[in-house]
Structures are given as structure tokens and as C-alpha cells.
Amino acid sequence: MPLAIDVSFAFQADQPTDVLLHFEGAMIPEQNHLRHHTDLSPSPHIARLPAQDAIGERVWIRAEGRYEVGYSAEVAVDRLLTPLGGLRQMDPHTLPEDTIKYLFDSRYCAAGQFHSFVDDEFGDLTGGKLILAIHDWVADHFTYVPGASGPNTTALDSFVERRGICRDYSHVIVTLARASGIPARFVSCFAPGVTPQDFHAVAEVFLEDTTTPGGGAWYLVDATGMAEPADIVKIGVGRDAADVSFMTSFGLTEFLEKTVSVKQTG
């Protein structure tokens, strides 16, 4: 069933400021855009460039004064929905080159600090069974608490506090998967079940692709329970939240307002 997405936000820049935006549903094969429209306030400079892994686009704008952004789309999702439990974990030396960076530590995901934990907690589990166990562990041990974390909260902080929002749940899953030798990345997205409605975040892990002998594919994982892979519209992917912020300002700005609506149509 297609998803109707409507987004608006505004911010204030008291002097000319470069701002990088990343807020539109990615135009990729698994996401068919039936309609889409973006409104941006006038700017002396607007430029589009591919986002990480060529999933979605970033938009450079030069802002001064009040700046407004609007986006609406209707997107039909059609992606691989293979159950994770039977999927094999790929040996590191067989991984595609573009997945290797998702084994390494990143700003918010220090996987190297969790090797002992994953060994003790998940024993001999591998592949999809391991990812399902990680998902269940996070879902069982964490409490969703808006405002419990901030922009500097790391996966380690969240692991200690055992509470947070979708960003924090995703960081912990990404970290534990990497600590287990499975490439994992952070996904910004839209989903209709998010409460309260907002930009959402999930994890994505790289396991075998049963449709391609010797190949692998990315699979979405959300321990908050608010989004299913069949109803997720990806915006972008990255090593962690730093790579996919919907707004990154290279100067002083004041964020003013934001609304996000995602609904199933039909």
C-alpha cells in the first residue's frame, strides 16, 4: 500500500549560512515515487548531490533570514522481505568492497568495545539468527523515552542508560551487529507507525541474498517496533546518525518548527 508523506520545517539564519539538507525519500528501485514535490525558500545557491551509497540526495542551500522547506510524496514500497532467521552471515573476506566501511567503528558506534558482550550474550549464534537475537535483546531491555538522549549520545551511552529514541535503538543494533562481524548501517526513513510522527531511524544489516548465489543484500531492522520493512521509505544511509541528519548547519541557525505526516493510502 503506498505511503503519503508530508513534511515541512523552518529555521532562521541571521547571516548567510551554508546548510546541508537531507529530507526527501530516496529514489531507488525498491521505492516507486508515484508523485513528489519539494518547495524551498529562494536562495542564491541551491545544489543537489548524491548522498552516501547513492541512496537519496543531499541539498546544499545558502540561507539567510527565515528559511522554509516543504516536501510531499506518495511512494509505493517493493523490497526484498526475506525472513532473517535462515540467512547466513558472510565471511569478511567475501564481502563487497562498499560494505567493509560498515564493519568499522564510527562516531556514535564504537563496536570494538562490545566484542566481549556479544560473545557472552549471544553465544554461537550467527547470521540472521544472531540479528534477531540482537533485535529482541534491545527491544526487551530498552525503554522508548523521548528526550532521554541528545545529539551527542553514543551507543555506549544508550547501552548503559537502557532508554532513548529510535536513533539510540538503531545505534545499539548497528554497534552490536558490527561487533559480531556483520556490516551494519544507520538508515533515516519515513514510516506510518511512528508515534509521535517524525523522521524515523532504523538499522540495516548485510547478510546473504538467497536470490543470488554468493551474493549479499541489506535487510532493515527496527527494535522500536514502530516500523516494518514493507512500510519503510528510506531517506538515506550512513555509518551512524551523523551521516544522515535531515539538516546540518555550517554556522549559527535557530530551528523554528517541524511537522511530519506519514500515512498509508487507499
Side-chain angles (χ1 to χ4, degrees):
M1 186 177 296
L3 301 179
I5 302 166
D6 290 283
V7 176
S8 65
F9 59 91
F11 58 93
Q12 178 81 21
D14 291 336
Q15 58 186 10
T17 303
D18 289 324
V19 180
L20 189 61
L21 304 175
H22 194 187
F23 61 91
E24 300 162 314
M27 293 188 181
I28 51 179
E30 66 199 60
Q31 300 179 173
N32 179 24
H33 282 66
L34 306 177
R35 63 171 178 84
H36 60 94
H37 181 73
T38 296
D39 284 315
L40 300 172
S41 291
S43 169
H45 179 83
I46 297 177
R48 289 181 172 273
L49 63 158
Q52 185 132 321
D53 293 355
I55 295 179
E57 289 187 331
R58 297 184 175 110
V59 185
W60 273 118
I61 59 100
R62 183 79 165 165
E64 184 175 13
R66 180 182 172 91
Y67 198 90
E68 298 181 349
V69 177
Y71 169 69
S72 66
E74 187 174 2
V75 183
V77 179
D78 181 18
R79 65 168 47 94
L80 190 66
L81 297 174
T82 307
L84 295 184
L87 297 180
R88 183 179 61 85
Q89 180 172 337
M90 299 180 70
D91 294 328
H93 71 275
T94 68
L95 290 168
E97 179 183 358
D98 59 357
T99 67
I100 294 172
K101 61 179 174 287
Y102 295 115
L103 288 172
F104 300 149
D105 286 5
S106 59
R107 177 175 174 181
Y108 295 112
C109 300
Q113 298 179 340
F114 286 86
H115 292 305
S116 296
F117 174 78
V118 297
D119 287 344
D120 293 343
E121 184 68 29
F122 305 112
D124 296 329
L125 294 175
T126 62
K129 289 185 174 62
L130 171 59
I131 294 301
L132 290 177
I134 290 173
H135 168 282
D136 292 347
W137 187 91
V138 175
D140 291 344
H141 289 81
F142 277 59
T143 302
Y144 195 92
V145 182
S149 60
N152 296 316
T153 301
T154 68
L156 179 59
D157 296 330
S158 300
F159 181 82
V160 172
E161 294 292 332
R162 304 290 171 91
R163 59 181 182 167
I165 58 173
C166 59
R167 171 188 185 276
D168 309 303
Y169 280 62
S170 301
H171 278 158
V172 174
I173 289 179
V174 166
T175 300
L176 297 181
R178 290 180 189 169
S180 306
I182 297 174
R185 62 190 185 186
F186 186 96
V187 181
S188 63
C189 61
F190 297 111
V194 176
T195 305
Q197 286 273 282
D198 205 338
F199 293 100
H200 193 45
V202 300
E204 198 168 37
V205 298
F206 194 82
L207 298 168
E208 72 166 327
D209 180 358
T210 57
T211 67
T212 305
W218 289 100
Y219 300 90
L220 294 161
V221 183
D222 183 14
T224 70
M226 292 193 291
E228 294 294 332
D231 295 324
I232 288 174
V233 174
K234 296 180 187 177
I235 300 170
V237 303
R239 296 163 298 175
D240 53 36
D243 287 342
V244 287
S245 171
F246 74 90
M247 174 183 161
T248 304
S249 175
F250 294 83
L252 294 177
T253 57
E254 179 186 1
F255 197 77
L256 301 176
E257 59 201 51
K258 176 180 62 175
T259 62
V260 177
S261 172
V262 184
K263 299 178 181 178
Q264 293 179 326
T265 64

